[in-house]
Amino acid sequence: MKKVVYIAAVLILSTGVFCSCSNKKKSNDIIVPKSAVTPAKKLIKSMSVSHGVHTVSWGGNTYTIDVLRKSDASLPQAQVDENTKYYDNKITVKILRKDGSVFFRRTFSKSDFSTYVDADTKTKGALLGIVLVRAESNDLLFAVSVGSPDVNSDEYVPLDMKITRTGSVSISKDNNLDTGSDTQSDMAE
């Protein structure tokens, strides 16, 4: 009986050895566990810093107009679309006398112009720029734009701003649209 058990054990072991040595079909599949998809972190963009300095003759005197635009993280952000936000800007306008003393200095934000823009521009727009247009007898005239900070967009609200000889500021909507037809008719004459 010991012989029978011994032979049975040898048969079972030899069957296991032969089965384990047989050729297994190898797979080229590589199994990698799925990684968790993390949503892309939404970055808040900024417009570039803009700094312009111009000299103007006004009321018989020479003035230097210094306009500096910087983004400001403390202001509410401009929501261009569901994925894109921009920091809003502050623009500092300085008017310096010939001797370098300050005649006027004020920092503007979009809220200074909120009365003149629609609700959509208030939430999706930013203060884009303030540019000196010309000097008149009693006023310095500036063009102001509030709108989409996206460089690929041309959506903005044009405004006029006057700074008087006493340093007071007045703002109004720009009702003059620049169209090519005015320029073409002037050239034809």
Side-chain angles (χ1 to χ4, degrees):
M1 173 93 163
K2 279 187 179 181
K3 252 186 178 183
V4 175
V5 172
Y6 178 73
I7 293 175
V10 170
L11 284 174
I12 292 173
L13 286 176
S14 61
T15 306
V17 169
F18 287 124
C19 289
S20 67
C21 291
S22 67
N23 287 338
K24 288 186 178 179
K25 187 175 181 183
K26 291 190 177 182
S27 171
N28 289 332
D29 294 339
I30 300 172
I31 301 172
V32 177
K34 271 188 172 182
S35 60
V37 177
T38 56
K41 187 175 181 181
K42 295 178 184 176
L43 297 177
I44 302 170
K45 298 179 179 184
S46 296
M47 292 180 67
S48 61
V49 172
S50 173
H51 188 212
V53 179
H54 303 282
T55 304
V56 65
S57 179
W58 182 37
N61 294 310
T62 302
Y63 291 87
T64 301
I65 313 299
D66 187 324
V67 180
L68 175 64
R69 179 189 71 197
K70 287 178 159 181
S71 60
D72 189 330
S74 70
L75 295 172
Q77 297 161 1
Q79 181 82 36
V80 175
D81 59 38
E82 64 185 36
N83 296 320
T84 310
K85 288 183 178 183
Y86 280 83
Y87 289 115
D88 203 345
N89 302 305
K90 283 188 175 177
I91 299 178
T92 302
V93 176
K94 285 193 298 188
I95 302 172
L96 305 171
R97 295 180 185 94
K98 191 174 185 176
D99 65 1
S101 63
V102 177
F103 163 71
F104 178 90
R105 179 188 170 95
R106 181 168 167 188
T107 300
F108 295 92
S109 66
K110 180 175 61 177
S111 64
D112 293 309
F113 307 98
S114 63
T115 307
Y116 306 96
V117 298
D118 57 275
D120 194 47
T121 304
K122 284 180 189 178
T123 57
K124 294 182 179 180
L127 178 57
L128 303 177
I130 298 177
V131 179
L132 175 68
V133 176
R134 69 181 175 274
E136 290 185 341
S137 60
N138 290 320
D139 304 319
L140 289 175
L141 303 176
F142 292 85
V144 178
S145 55
V146 179
S148 175
D150 186 354
V151 294
N152 296 320
S153 175
D154 60 355
E155 297 176 17
Y156 69 95
V157 175
L159 303 171
D160 291 326
M161 182 173 74
K162 290 181 183 181
I163 299 176
T164 67
R165 293 190 98 10
T166 60
S168 64
V169 176
S170 66
I171 301 164
S172 62
K173 279 198 168 192
D174 181 359
N175 295 321
N176 299 325
L177 294 176
D178 291 335
T179 61
S181 63
D182 294 340
T183 307
Q184 291 171 353
S185 66
D186 290 343
M187 290 175 18
E189 293 176 356

